[in-house]
Amino acid sequence: MEFLQGGRKNKIGRIANTVHRPAGPWTQSVHALLRQVRAAGFTAVPHPLGFDEAGNEIVTFLAGDVCNYPLSAAAASQEALVSAAQLLRAYHEASRTFLAQNLESHTWLLPSQTPIEVICHGDFAPYNVVLNGRLAVGLIDFDTAHPGPRIWDIAYALYRWAPFTHPQNPDRLGNLETQIERARLFCDAYGFPVAQRHNLVEMMILRLETLVTYMQAEAQKGNEAFIANLADGHHLLYRADIEYLGEKRPFIQKSLHR
Ligand SMILES: Nc1ncnc2c1ncn2[C@@H]1O[C@H](COP(=O)(O)OP(=O)(O)O)[C@@H](O)[C@H]1O
Ligand SMILES: [Mg+2]
């Protein structure tokens, strides 16, 4: 087995064309979701293959490149941005067919948000999207999937793809104008109505605050990955980005609304 990079360290293993990942109480629901979106015609996700003897989930390996920050030229390209937004839209549409199932019978890692319009991916970022050259062709890492409104997923995606980061954040790609331009391209490619864009900054802030609260609660419970994240100061980066978004909110809102 070979450990894959770009996620939790020494946790995600590859054996031939399969990936073995730690499972949780939500994994059965994630597998049902993957089967459903594939049946609905969205095949850019791994096939769920069940569990190994150690209790890890097994999914198929998607060929291509997955980029973490700092983004490669391909991952930072407009083609990647636009195709990623189209991929998210197509995934969301396919996920709507899952809503016909009894959602009460499913378990998710993160709490559902209302109104339920889709099954949010929950972590739609370059590090969970598979590229073929500059084209987004695959979507992986569904641990954070949960029912919610489109805007909940789009807000986090914009934060990660623009990315809307504070000037001191090492993941930054350009200045505020670049961030807004990329956010607008993403929204256009997704087909997110201009009339609904005034809520995006507020949603980004709320989404990040929810994330920091979640990280701290998990660390308190002894979750080692989050203890390590806090030790590395990840929450401080998020806090700085929250502050940055708050400060630039009127300008971003006005620019996205056009
Ligand atoms: N099904 C898959 N197909 C291709 N690559 C994968 C797959 N699952 C994981 N990877 C690779 O392993 C890395 C970490 O996996 P991921 O599932 O995102 O873990 P984590 O939940 O820790 O973020 C990804 O960034 C990607 O490079
Ligand atoms: Mg990941």
Side-chain angles (χ1 to χ4, degrees):
M1 185 174 71
E2 163 208 353
F3 284 120
L4 295 168
Q5 309 304 316
R8 282 161 292 173
K9 209 171 162 43
N10 295 347
K11 293 278 187 207
I12 316 296
R14 177 175 175 187
I15 302 174
N17 275 328
T18 66
V19 177
H20 294 234
R21 308 175 71 256
W26 55 87
T27 306
Q28 298 278 12
S29 294
V30 167
H31 285 192
L33 171 67
L34 294 176
R35 276 192 295 274
Q36 180 61 46
V37 297
R38 292 194 69 95
F42 185 76
T43 55
V45 295
H47 284 279
L49 300 176
F51 299 85
D52 66 17
E53 323 76 60
N56 293 303
E57 69 159 336
I58 312 173
V59 296
T60 54
F61 180 83
L62 301 184
D65 308 314
V66 181
C67 187
N68 209 329
Y69 301 104
L71 297 186
S72 64
S77 69
Q78 257 183 37
E79 293 97 315
L81 181 76
V82 165
S83 56
Q86 290 166 342
L87 193 74
L88 181 62
R89 178 63 188 257
Y91 161 69
H92 277 169
E93 294 313 317
S95 82
R96 288 175 58 76
T97 65
F98 191 83
L99 302 181
Q101 295 198 15
N102 176 15
L103 289 184
E104 300 284 305
S105 69
H106 285 288
T107 302
W108 310 102
L109 170 67
L110 299 178
S112 295
Q113 302 289 326
T114 53
I116 295 173
E117 297 169 351
V118 296
I119 306 295
C120 292
H121 174 274
D123 195 5
F124 191 83
Y127 49 75
N128 287 326
V129 167
V130 182
L131 297 177
N132 177 1
R134 295 176 167 222
L135 276 190
V137 295
L139 183 49
I140 59 170
D141 191 356
F142 280 77
D143 280 332
T144 50
H146 60 288
R150 294 169 191 273
I151 193 171
W152 189 239
D153 233 7
I154 293 169
Y156 190 74
L158 290 182
Y159 168 67
R160 283 298 182 191
W161 283 90
F164 275 111
T165 46
H166 184 271
Q168 251 106 67
N169 190 314
D171 301 340
R172 192 173 172 92
L173 273 185
N175 58 18
L176 183 59
E177 279 68 32
T178 310
Q179 295 171 346
I180 291 169
E181 181 54 27
R182 285 176 58 86
R184 209 190 283 131
L185 270 172
F186 191 99
C187 288
D188 289 347
Y190 179 93
F192 190 63
V194 173
Q196 290 171 32
R197 295 183 192 178
H198 58 276
N199 282 329
L200 278 168
V201 183
E202 189 187 328
M203 277 295 164
M204 272 188 256
I205 293 172
L206 188 61
R207 182 69 184 76
L208 292 181
E209 278 170 349
T210 306
L211 180 61
V212 172
T213 305
Y214 176 74
M215 287 172 73
Q216 287 171 330
E218 284 296 305
Q220 204 101 56
K221 281 197 253 166
N223 184 326
E224 281 171 26
F226 287 103
I227 291 171
N229 284 346
L230 293 186
D232 289 345
H234 288 197
H235 59 306
L236 303 178
L237 285 177
Y238 289 123
R239 289 229 178 284
D241 293 341
I242 289 168
E243 205 172 301
Y244 173 70
L245 281 166
E247 191 185 304
K248 306 294 182 196
R249 176 175 164 169
F251 183 70
I252 300 173
Q253 230 158 258
K254 193 175 73 196
S255 313
L256 282 183
H257 203 58
R258 267 192 281 120

